[in-house]
Amino acid sequence: MTDRNQYVLTYKCPDELGIFAEVSKLFFDNGAFVTGSSHYTDPQNNTCFYRKVFDDRFLSVDISLFEEKFAQLADRFHMEYRITPLDYRPRLLLAVSKYDHCLNVLLTKWKSGVLPADIVGVVSNHDDCRGLVEWYGIPYHHFPISKETKPQQEAQILSLMKMERVDLLVLARYMQVLSDNMCQKLAGKAINIHHSFLPSFKGAKPYHQAHARGVKLIGATAHYVTPDLDEGPIIAQDVKPVTHAHTAADMVVLGHDTEATTLAHAVKLHIEQRVLLNGARTVVL
């Protein structure tokens, strides 16, 4: 059992008759043993999305040759696809400002092995979270920022990502708006978290505004970063009920908990290659 290598295949392409049959035939002919699969076809844009997990227990060719054969099939059906080892650990860079609730949950889940990734560093425009991060033995990069130095600071982050071969940037309550240029460079490779009151309750104290309005639900949204602020493709959301008895301070605590768990859930979905972009939306398989 332990000597079997497992892989994940994900693809999306225009839907047409015979795609699943051809993929299944390729797997059967080459002995790729499927252990899990899920798919979805969007009826509006006629695009199919697929995630398949397989191993090499009966694989009759080297995995590199199998990938070459699949590439030919992918070209035929105009697929965007990816085949990676199931145990591949993506390299993550976390970004934070002063609030550490999202950062803390991500680090705890990483340390306990729940988050199957390698956190290669934490970048911040403040020094507040250094002690927490360095306690975990993770490099802390303090990159101060001002309106005048924003281009240079973002260049520092991109340079660090290149040097550390980062697969995903996670904005764990990083309270800076990324430039359009940076958002475009990180398309599909950066995840952000925000409270779900937007756009009704903008500003620094959304939970206090929500309390003043007597809301009955508070929540959080994790999404991919795009130039449209807080409007990127949604990966995960969660809500919690509140009542008139909740104070603004209660809402802040509950909201922070919801933000932290929602972001961690979204990051895990991305790491497991369950999220496929579908225009302004996502398909989670």
Side-chain angles (χ1 to χ4, degrees):
M1 292 289 289
T2 57
D3 59 349
R4 293 173 184 166
N5 297 303
Q6 293 183 293
Y7 303 90
V8 180
L9 162 69
T10 58
Y11 70 77
K12 65 178 180 180
C13 64
D15 199 12
E16 62 178 272
L17 186 65
I19 294 177
F20 290 170
E22 290 295 332
V23 171
S24 297
K25 184 176 185 302
L26 178 67
F27 270 64
F28 176 76
D29 290 345
N30 293 275
F33 192 87
V34 178
T35 58
S37 66
S38 55
H39 72 275
Y40 168 73
T41 296
D42 188 330
Q44 295 183 327
N45 58 26
N46 198 44
T47 301
C48 71
F49 303 84
Y50 208 101
R51 180 182 185 270
K52 188 190 294 282
V53 180
F54 66 97
D55 66 40
D56 62 357
R57 71 182 77 179
F58 300 122
L59 199 63
S60 58
V61 296
D62 185 79
I63 187 63
S64 60
L65 179 56
F66 180 78
E67 291 178 356
E68 290 179 14
K69 292 183 176 183
F70 191 89
Q72 296 174 7
L73 184 66
D75 185 62
R76 175 181 163 191
F77 288 107
H78 308 289
M79 292 179 180
E80 294 179 32
Y81 79 97
R82 185 181 182 189
I83 298 176
T84 54
L86 183 63
D87 61 359
Y88 174 71
R89 295 174 63 87
R91 298 173 65 81
L92 273 52
L93 178 67
L94 311 184
V96 66
S97 288
K98 292 185 175 182
Y99 292 117
D100 64 2
H101 53 285
C102 290
L103 174 67
N104 203 12
V105 168
L106 288 168
L107 292 176
T108 299
K109 289 184 177 294
W110 166 76
K111 185 68 173 179
S112 65
V114 176
L115 204 63
D118 292 329
I119 298 178
V120 300
V122 174
V123 62
S124 179
N125 55 322
H126 296 281
D127 221 25
D128 299 56
C129 297
R130 179 183 293 277
L132 170 64
V133 172
E134 292 185 344
W135 184 86
Y136 281 94
I138 296 174
Y140 190 85
H141 305 274
H142 180 208
F143 295 158
I145 189 173
S146 66
K147 184 177 180 180
E148 293 73 26
T149 63
K150 186 181 184 72
Q152 293 84 355
Q153 194 257 17
E154 289 190 344
Q156 284 182 294
I157 296 176
L158 290 171
S159 177
L160 177 62
M161 291 181 68
K162 182 178 181 181
M163 181 178 69
E164 293 291 349
R165 308 185 313 281
V166 170
D167 297 301
L168 180 69
L169 175 66
V170 182
L171 306 182
R173 288 305 300 270
Y174 179 65
M175 307 304 287
Q176 292 290 320
V177 178
L178 302 185
S179 67
D180 289 359
N181 179 59
M182 189 164 185
C183 288
Q184 290 165 359
K185 289 182 177 179
L186 296 177
K189 297 180 180 179
I191 295 177
N192 191 23
I193 184 71
H194 68 71
H195 53 80
S196 289
F197 301 134
L198 293 172
S200 299
F201 303 107
K202 296 182 179 180
K205 293 187 175 182
Y207 295 106
H208 293 75
Q209 297 177 56
H211 177 264
R213 288 287 299 276
V215 302
K216 297 299 182 270
L217 286 173
I218 61 174
T221 296
H223 61 90
Y224 286 115
V225 173
T226 66
D228 298 317
L229 181 62
D230 291 330
E231 295 183 12
I234 295 170
I235 304 169
Q237 293 179 295
D238 194 12
V239 294
K240 302 294 182 183
V242 293
T243 71
H244 59 276
H246 284 82
T247 65
D250 293 334
M251 288 187 176
V252 170
V253 172
L254 187 58
H256 283 185
D257 287 346
T258 308
E259 290 170 7
T261 55
T262 302
L263 178 60
H265 179 54
V267 171
K268 191 169 189 291
L269 290 172
H270 178 95
I271 288 172
E272 294 177 345
Q273 299 182 56
R274 297 184 180 276
V275 187
L276 283 76
L277 287 171
N278 183 23
R281 300 179 296 154
T282 64
V283 172
V284 181
L285 299 174

